[in-house]
Amino acid sequence: MSLFSWLELIASGLITGGIYALVALGLNLQYGLMRILNIAHGEFLMLGAYLTWMAHTTLGISPLLMVPVSFLALMALGLVIHKLCFRRLTVTSPNLDIFEARGLMVAFGLMFLVQNFASFMWGGDLRGYDYLAEPVKMGEAQFAGNKLLVFGLALLFSGALIALLRFTLLGKGVRALMQSPTGAQLVGIDTQRLHPLMFGIGLGLSGVAGCLLSMAYTITPSMGEPYTVTALIVITLGGFGSMSGALAGGLLLGVVEALGMHFTNPSLKALLSYSVFIAVLLLRPRGLFAK
Amino acid sequence: MVQSSKRQLLKGAAAAVGAAAFAPSLFAQAGPVRIGYAIARTGPWTGGAQVSQEPNYLLWAEQVNAAGGLDVKGTKRPIELISSDDRSDIETCVRSYEKLMGSDKVDLILPPWGSNANFAIAPLANRMGYPVLAPTALSRKLVELKLPNFFLLLQQPDRMVGALVDMLVANGVKTVAVIYVDDLFGLENFSALKVALRSTSIQVVEEKSYPGDIKDLSPVLRSIKDKNPEAFIGLSYPPDTILASKQSKEIGFNPRFYYASVGTAFQLYRNVMTPAGAEGVLGMGSWNSKTSPGAKAYFDAHTKKFGGKEPDRWASGHCWAGLEILQAAVAKSGLDRKAIRDYIAGNTHKTIIGDVKFTGSENTATPGTVGQWQNGEFEVVWPTKVATAKLSLVKPAWK
Amino acid sequence: MKDKQILVRDLLLLLAFAGWALALPHYGSEFVVSMALTCLMYVALSSSWGLFCGSTRYLSLATSAFFGIGAYTSAIALEKMAWLESIALGAGIATVVAVVMGAAVLHLRGTYFAVLTFGMTELIRHAVTYFEKKVTGTVGRVLTVVPDRDTIYLTVLALAVLAVLVSIIVRRSRFGLALMGIGADEQRAQTLGVNTRLIKVAGFAMTAAFAGAVGAAMAVRWTYIDPHTVFNPFIGFQTVLIALIGGAMTLWGPLIAAIVFSVLAETLRLQAPQVYMMSLGLLLILSVLYLPGGLASLRWATFSGWWRDSRGWARGLSRKERKNG
């Protein structure tokens, strides 16, 4: 294979990885901060995709415009869900383990609810639309315009989140809470406000990922689940709670998958991903990049 | 939204059939002929079932009732369809048919969608003596079950793939690349392909399998593009067919012959790829409205009834043919299921897709065929004796 | 109620249930029997799941893996062995896999464990697909030797009754107490001398045995099985849902919930199939939030508690209005 073909392969892996990172970041935020393992995360990605598709095909709104709209819409949904479902759990659970377990179960129920709601609303047919699908040539390599856009925006949002957490006061508060919940509260950081906000941002990111994905891929009610699973693998690789770990892990996973598919079969890709996942969970549960 | 109009159409159709059944004075004596089935209206199988199968059942019942009813050995009786959603779940499917045949004791049954569901109900129907004409079951293993009451209408893998290989050989193709989906369909077709290729001088430059829920085929397609084969063969289902086509366009992979098995025969393919984009793409298809006057009448009736939704150019036609055969069988043998079964097994039937004759469970009269998109229509281009158009040797660049 | 009285009550209830289920094929239609079959399948699955996972709070999502292993075993074994032996073999192989899996992962807690069992299920599914493709050159298997409907029904019934019986016995044994102890406070249990590792693996293996046996029995109904159908994660999800909503820690909770859901599923299927799944999800959320003990823990006190809660909430709302208004 020529050099350009190699570059193409790795680049396409990075593009896929960018999406993985975006989805994983949202999940990581929720787990790292609130110990809520939201396995319904992918379903909200799917909602973002459907929203964008509906807006584009019925109202003619450009998907680019839908990016911030999806973010805000799903963030609002996240705030509502946190208030309705998870707040009560924080109050009524006797200890952290039970809270985690109950949170997992609630997320489980949400997964069922949202996925079937989408199936009910929009039916099981494949849907999709074309946006910027014309190929863009970069030297000898060729990529779809929308894929490049997706990659760029994914990196942008990921970078923005990491910057938010590192440089703003709000971000510092979140990181403090992640490190030591009681300590943070002692110095006056308001969990009541931060938790729902961060949960909302997590879901918002998921919505953005869905919006971006809808530009390039077909949309079905069950499209979210594989991304939840991949996000889980990514945050395991990167370490629960580490944002930059999630970014690095996502990109890495994308490239590894692309290379794996080239050297072996795509059929083995799933086998490989899960084996890596389980191996990391068993041997280095704090993540590949943990010090 | 498509969902509500579909539901309205279903409701309208059901109402029409119901109304027909409730006007006994219009029909001579005896009660309605009760025909039962379960089909996927929700779940993963819905796409296929609602394009290739259920609309045909509804259209048929409506047409027959409008003409006075089903001819049962001279007496015309209205058709009453008794149906339910199998939720794309095998256990539900089995249970529905147990109810239809065991408790409700319907006169006839129509099959569900897909090989898996047919595998599950075939032994059951056989045991209870109900003949089944299945238009969406594809597997040599089903044929090998040797169930006397079960008939498969589609051409089985070896014949479809054999036709493709013949066509490639006749056009001097030397190299192919193959991808196939990781399930019985993909595997059987792939094995059949390898067998067929063995006696030719065609070289396989790449063969890769992939899981059914794959999201991204571009790494595989890129490495195939690098090897520059003359023909690309995708043994895939509609979602992956579309994915492969779109991603081939993305990366600029455009071999002389581009074949994707299932999904290319669907109107959906043309809608998603646009007629210009679909031009030249090959796939599994065995008829269109040019095949026979009956086919054209069926095509027009289907499109009219379902608001522009066209039947697909493969399984839909076979489904309608199966209904035609059933209708003729009932006219000849009444509702004696054993006699119906013997009629189906023992005769050559003239249908909209041509002759249909069963050797055991398999339809051996319809030859393996290859279809191609030309000017917005999926034409049959091989073999020449059933072709509706000539094979176009120029595949334009993806649009 | 005294302990012995409770035991007698439980056994009598089980006997009544078994008797009723046994009589069903004689007076019920094919359809009702078929419904009962699915119901009994979930009784067996969720009761055995609840016994281990409810007590120890280790949420296992691996039920589908063991179910699939059992199904594949009977598909292969039925050509050479008798019915009951195939079922036993299915249970046996599932148990062995569970012991291996358990030994490797049972030291992780809570969410890690749940996620890991899910990952392992998918891993097994993909591994079986790959193995079948490469080594045996096929995907999926056709079951040619199929016993009649009544045999299948009786087998699944026996498994369901056995699951509940084992539940009854284990809960009164030291093993059961150890399981509860692990659920309440694992470290404390360890310091008190309980061999937590062994107990956990044993409990996990037990859920696997039942799931494997049930899978082996149900596979014959589908004639053709492939990894996608028998390793379907939904089987595991539904088991967990039923057990949790019924009350995973209780004896009768899973059984009650299994019956309720089978009926609900059938009724809703004919009207609005997605509504069934949505209501499953909604019910789970509601039960985790407001009824963590599950349906079986419903008492009069719970209702009065809810009434008080809702009045308090309404009062709080009107207070806010007064403040703002």
Side-chain angles (χ1 to χ4, degrees):
Chain A
M1 245 180 47
S2 66
L3 178 66
F4 269 112
S5 303
W6 278 114
L7 284 176
E8 254 191 351
L9 190 63
I10 295 182
S12 82
L14 281 174
I15 292 174
T16 322
I19 290 283
Y20 290 165
L22 193 60
V23 183
L25 277 172
L27 192 64
N28 213 359
L29 196 59
Q30 292 165 341
Y31 188 69
L33 180 62
M34 293 164 273
R35 304 298 285 272
I36 295 175
L37 193 62
N38 183 11
I39 52 174
H41 202 71
E43 312 310 323
F44 298 103
L45 179 152
M46 180 261 296
L47 281 183
Y50 267 106
L51 265 172
T52 313
W53 171 79
M54 265 209 315
H56 183 72
T57 46
T58 51
L59 300 171
I61 301 178
S62 150
L64 267 181
L65 189 61
M66 285 304 290
V67 170
V69 173
S70 316
F71 181 77
L72 292 169
L74 276 143
M75 183 162 131
L77 185 63
L79 290 171
V80 170
I81 290 182
H82 187 266
K83 178 140 198 243
L84 284 179
C85 303
F86 292 101
R87 179 157 287 173
R88 192 193 155 93
L89 280 183
T90 354
V91 170
T92 55
S93 308
N95 64 44
L96 191 60
D97 273 342
I98 294 189
F99 172 73
E100 265 194 46
R102 288 192 183 162
L104 187 65
M105 293 193 254
V106 169
F108 211 43
L110 273 174
M111 183 176 90
F112 264 78
L113 191 58
V114 176
Q115 208 182 109
N116 286 287
F117 172 72
S119 186
F120 181 65
M121 279 285 296
W122 292 292
D125 291 336
L126 294 173
R127 303 206 188 280
Y129 61 90
D130 263 338
Y131 184 69
L132 282 187
E134 296 76 41
V136 169
K137 280 197 183 301
M138 299 172 86
E140 265 186 44
Q142 196 174 334
F143 299 97
N146 52 28
K147 290 273 177 63
L148 291 173
L149 183 68
V150 163
F151 182 57
L153 285 174
L155 277 188
L156 185 71
F157 272 88
S158 311
L161 181 70
I162 294 179
L164 177 82
L165 287 176
R166 196 161 289 223
F167 300 122
T168 66
L169 197 59
L170 176 71
K172 292 211 173 101
V174 171
R175 277 173 34 231
L177 266 174
M178 285 211 246
Q179 276 189 340
S180 164
T182 16
Q185 287 184 59
L186 277 177
V187 297
I189 296 176
D190 188 358
T191 18
Q192 287 271 49
R193 282 258 200 77
L194 272 184
H195 276 191
L197 185 64
M198 286 301 135
F199 190 80
I201 290 185
L203 280 196
L205 285 176
S206 188
V208 169
C211 169
L212 293 174
L213 280 172
S214 71
M215 294 185 209
Y217 295 99
T218 45
I219 305 169
T220 70
S222 54
M223 73 188 278
E225 235 175 282
Y227 287 100
T228 311
V229 175
T230 316
L232 273 174
I233 298 180
V234 170
I235 64 178
T236 310
L237 284 180
F240 288 89
S242 159
M243 292 299 147
S244 35
L247 180 59
L251 293 172
L252 184 67
L253 188 67
V255 174
V256 165
E257 279 190 350
L259 290 174
M261 277 202 266
H262 172 74
F263 286 115
T264 62
N265 260 322
S267 310
L268 275 181
K269 167 186 95 108
L271 201 61
L272 262 149
S273 303
Y274 284 110
S275 309
V276 166
F277 178 47
I278 291 174
V280 171
L281 261 180
L282 289 180
L283 301 169
R284 281 192 73 114
R286 309 210 32 232
L288 283 177
F289 308 111
K291 284 141 204 102
Chain B
M1 266 183 224
V2 181
Q3 177 77 337
S4 52
S5 61
K6 218 194 295 184
R7 250 191 256 132
Q8 272 177 331
L9 282 167
L10 275 177
K11 263 197 235 158
V17 173
F22 267 91
S25 56
L26 291 176
F27 305 98
Q29 322 134 319
V33 175
R34 297 159 70 240
I35 305 185
Y37 66 93
I39 198 129
R41 295 186 187 139
T42 55
W45 302 340
T46 316
Q50 294 302 319
V51 167
S52 312
Q53 246 172 307
E54 187 160 30
N56 292 314
Y57 295 168
L58 298 171
L59 179 65
W60 179 68
E62 189 186 85
Q63 272 191 1
V64 167
N65 283 345
L70 186 65
D71 182 354
V72 182
K73 255 183 168 172
T75 321
K76 284 209 169 177
R77 294 164 59 180
I79 293 179
E80 183 190 333
L81 289 179
I82 303 175
S83 64
S84 63
D85 180 7
D86 67 19
R87 286 197 285 146
S88 303
D89 174 46
I90 297 196
E91 182 60 36
T92 313
C93 203
V94 171
R95 191 178 323 141
S96 308
Y97 280 93
E98 280 181 340
K99 179 171 198 284
L100 288 168
M101 293 187 275
S103 331
D104 300 342
K105 296 211 194 314
V106 294
D107 298 306
L108 297 166
I109 60 165
L110 298 172
W113 182 90
S115 303
N116 282 39
N118 277 285
F119 256 115
I121 63 128
L124 181 67
N126 196 58
R127 209 167 53 228
M128 309 204 87
Y130 281 77
V132 175
L133 286 149
T136 49
L138 195 80
S139 166
R140 189 132 292 282
K141 291 198 181 176
L142 259 174
V143 175
E144 284 165 12
L145 282 180
K146 294 208 198 332
L147 298 169
N149 276 308
F150 196 73
F151 301 97
L152 292 96
L153 289 155
L154 284 182
Q155 308 100 311
Q156 296 303 307
D158 46 333
R159 310 170 93 225
M160 288 307 271
V161 160
L164 174 65
V165 171
D166 288 342
M167 187 189 87
L168 291 176
V169 165
N171 284 285
V173 170
K174 291 274 171 284
T175 53
V176 300
V178 187
I179 65 168
Y180 61 101
V181 67
D182 240 348
D183 77 344
L184 194 64
F185 172 82
L187 210 64
E188 276 196 18
N189 278 286
F190 181 66
S191 317
L193 183 67
K194 292 298 276 280
V195 166
L197 286 174
R198 222 179 284 153
S199 52
T200 70
S201 57
I202 300 181
Q203 233 205 341
V204 179
V205 302
E206 180 97 23
E207 54 187 58
K208 289 231 155 111
S209 70
Y210 62 90
D213 51 6
I214 196 157
K215 291 279 171 290
D216 190 5
L217 277 166
S218 52
V220 176
L221 291 170
R222 274 183 216 276
S223 52
I224 290 181
K225 173 183 168 193
D226 229 36
K227 305 223 166 110
N228 208 15
E230 284 177 58
F232 168 78
I233 302 178
L235 299 165
S236 51
Y237 286 131
D240 0 311
T241 298
I242 292 179
L243 182 69
S245 307
K246 279 182 141 188
Q247 293 194 319
S248 298
K249 171 178 165 185
E250 242 175 63
I251 65 169
F253 173 53
N254 195 35
R256 223 170 27 115
F257 294 94
Y258 193 95
Y259 179 93
S261 55
V262 185
T264 35
F266 285 46
Q267 179 188 25
L268 172 71
Y269 189 79
R270 187 184 67 212
N271 289 349
V272 172
M273 301 299 294
T274 75
E279 184 74 27
V281 174
L282 301 154
M284 288 185 175
S286 56
W287 74 284
N288 63 30
S289 44
K290 293 193 237 170
T291 306
S292 66
K296 179 154 182 18
Y298 158 63
F299 185 90
D300 292 339
H302 188 291
T303 326
K304 179 152 176 256
K305 179 173 167 65
F306 295 107
K309 180 163 122 171
E310 298 170 14
D312 79 61
R313 312 294 195 267
W314 196 30
S316 291
H318 291 250
C319 185
W320 191 259
L323 292 168
E324 289 184 308
I325 297 175
L326 188 64
Q327 194 170 351
V330 171
K332 187 83 190 299
S333 327
L335 290 175
D336 173 355
R337 291 189 279 272
K338 174 115 192 12
I340 292 179
R341 186 256 152 212
D342 292 336
Y343 175 86
I344 297 174
N347 291 294
T348 304
H349 311 278
K350 299 240 170 293
T351 70
I352 61 158
I353 57 170
D355 282 352
V356 171
K357 175 150 177 54
F358 295 101
T359 311
S361 292
E362 185 182 352
N363 168 13
T364 43
T366 313
T369 49
V370 181
Q372 184 181 42
W373 280 103
Q374 291 177 5
N375 291 324
E377 177 57 55
F378 200 58
E379 309 278 4
V380 181
V381 294
W382 189 273
T384 33
K385 67 176 191 276
V386 294
T388 57
K390 206 159 171 291
L391 170 67
S392 160
L393 290 171
V394 176
K395 180 176 185 321
W398 295 99
K399 291 205 185 38
Chain C
M1 254 182 150
K2 280 179 64 186
D3 192 54
K4 201 129 197 210
Q5 282 179 312
I6 300 180
L7 177 63
V8 170
R9 177 201 75 170
D10 283 342
L11 285 172
L12 278 176
L13 273 171
L14 184 61
L15 202 64
F17 172 72
W20 170 80
L22 256 170
L24 201 62
H26 296 287
Y27 64 80
S29 63
E30 290 244 10
F31 173 66
V32 170
V33 172
S34 181
M35 219 171 91
L37 188 63
T38 313
C39 176
L40 286 171
M41 167 174 133
Y42 278 107
V43 168
L45 286 175
S46 40
S47 294
S48 58
W49 188 92
L51 180 59
F52 173 66
C53 304
S55 319
T56 57
R57 296 189 193 284
Y58 275 80
L59 293 178
S60 154
L61 290 171
T63 310
S64 312
F66 303 127
F67 184 91
I69 291 175
Y72 258 89
T73 313
S74 81
I76 302 175
L78 268 177
E79 306 189 5
K80 309 183 186 89
M81 294 189 214
W83 173 243
L84 285 176
E85 284 157 7
S86 304
I87 305 275
L89 188 64
I93 297 188
T95 312
V96 168
V97 174
V99 168
V100 170
M101 226 205 255
V105 310
L106 274 167
H107 59 279
L108 298 167
R109 284 255 8 151
T111 34
Y112 277 89
F113 178 72
V115 162
L116 206 82
T117 50
F118 176 73
M120 290 209 133
T121 309
E122 292 290 283
L123 182 70
I124 292 179
R125 168 163 80 96
H126 284 106
V128 169
T129 314
Y130 189 71
F131 180 81
E132 285 270 83
K133 235 179 45 182
K134 281 282 180 285
V135 177
T136 41
T138 176
V139 171
R141 292 185 172 258
V142 183
L143 287 104
T144 41
V145 180
V146 172
D148 65 47
R149 186 204 70 173
D150 282 344
T151 319
I152 305 176
Y153 183 79
L154 284 173
T155 314
V156 178
L157 171 60
L159 286 171
V161 169
L162 190 63
V164 181
L165 190 64
V166 166
S167 240
I168 296 178
I169 297 176
V170 164
R171 273 168 213 276
R172 330 185 97 69
S173 70
R174 287 183 60 126
F175 181 49
L177 283 174
L179 286 172
M180 295 260 193
I182 293 174
D185 189 334
E186 183 161 358
Q187 272 189 318
R188 234 222 215 137
Q190 262 181 320
T191 55
L192 288 173
V194 176
N195 185 350
T196 49
R197 196 116 192 257
L198 191 66
I199 304 273
K200 282 190 289 187
V201 172
F204 191 52
M206 192 196 55
T207 62
F210 275 104
V214 170
M218 293 301 280
V220 295
R221 272 180 64 82
W222 303 340
T223 312
Y224 168 75
I225 58 161
D226 61 3
H228 192 76
T229 340
V230 293
F231 288 108
N232 187 0
F234 183 66
I235 300 174
F237 290 164
Q238 194 158 34
T239 306
V240 173
L241 245 66
I242 289 179
L244 287 176
I245 295 179
M249 291 229 277
T250 66
L251 177 61
W252 295 106
L255 189 143
I256 298 172
I259 297 179
V260 166
F261 278 106
S262 300
V263 173
L264 196 67
E266 254 334 280
T267 351
L268 283 178
R269 169 171 82 97
L270 300 166
Q271 323 297 337
Q274 271 108 347
V275 176
Y276 167 64
M277 305 277 261
M278 283 201 277
S279 59
L280 260 188
L282 193 62
L283 269 169
L284 177 63
I285 297 175
L286 288 175
S287 89
V288 172
L289 289 179
Y290 298 106
L291 196 63
L295 283 178
S297 69
L298 264 180
R299 301 271 179 280
W300 291 117
T302 350
F303 287 111
S304 49
W306 287 346
W307 178 243
R308 256 180 284 122
D309 274 344
S310 57
R311 285 181 70 195
W313 176 74
R315 230 177 286 134
L317 263 183
S318 59
R319 218 180 294 138
K320 249 197 238 164
E321 268 181 42
R322 261 183 279 130
K323 242 208 280 183
N324 296 338

